[in-house]
Amino acid sequence: QVQLVESGGGLVQAGGSLRLSCAASGRTFRTYAMGWFRQAPGKEREFVAALSWSGSSTYNAGSVTGRFTISRDDAKNTVYLQMNSLKPKDAAIYYCAARVRSSSCYEAASYDYWGQGTQVTVSS
C-alpha cells in the first residue's frame, strides 16, 4: 500500500508557473505507475498527465501538452508536475494517483491510490 501527499499548489497569475509534488510512502514506489488528475468545481475529474513505471514514457492531456511536464524521482519517492504558462481554465484541485494494474493510464478508475489533492488557482 502507498500513501500520497501532494504539495505545491497555490495562487498564480495567468502565464505563471507552479510545480506540484507528490510524496509517496512505502518501499514499493518504483512498482507504481503515476498520474495527475484535476477536478474543477462542478466538473468531472479529468486526466492531466501520467508516467510509466520506468519513467520512460509520459502521457499528457491535449489541453496541457507543451505546458505541463510530469516526472518522477524514485530516490525521493516523489512525482512532480511542472506547470508552465498557466491559464485560468487550469484552476482546479490537482490529485496525484498511483496505479499497480496494467490498465489505461487515462482513466481515473485505473488508479488504486489517491492523494488528498492540492488547490491551484489561476488569476486572469
Side-chain angles (χ1 to χ4, degrees):
Q1 187 163 348
V2 64
Q3 292 184 328
L4 306 172
V5 179
E6 301 97 333
S7 61
L11 172 64
V12 64
Q13 287 188 332
S17 297
L18 283 174
R19 189 177 79 157
L20 305 183
S21 298
C22 173
S25 65
R27 299 180 180 178
T28 59
F29 178 70
R30 295 172 185 267
T31 65
Y32 293 95
M34 303 299 295
W36 286 96
F37 287 74
R38 67 187 181 187
Q39 188 167 18
K43 294 190 176 182
E44 299 273 328
R45 188 170 298 191
E46 66 173 357
F47 170 78
V48 175
L51 195 62
S52 63
W53 286 270
S54 66
S56 61
S57 297
T58 61
Y59 310 87
N60 294 310
S63 59
V64 307
T65 297
R67 300 189 298 123
F68 291 10
T69 303
I70 186 172
S71 61
R72 67 190 295 163
D73 184 338
D74 287 343
K76 296 183 178 180
N77 278 15
T78 301
V79 64
Y80 303 99
L81 184 68
Q82 178 67 44
M83 305 188 295
N84 299 327
S85 302
L86 281 160
K87 305 175 182 180
K89 66 180 181 179
D90 294 318
I93 298 175
Y94 282 70
Y95 297 91
C96 172
R99 176 169 59 90
V100 177
R101 292 164 285 167
S102 178
S103 51
S104 171
C105 68
Y106 301 100
E107 302 295 330
S110 296
Y111 291 80
D112 303 285
Y113 304 102
W114 292 84
Q116 82 289 350
T118 186
Q119 178 73 52
V120 172
T121 304
V122 184
S123 63
S124 57

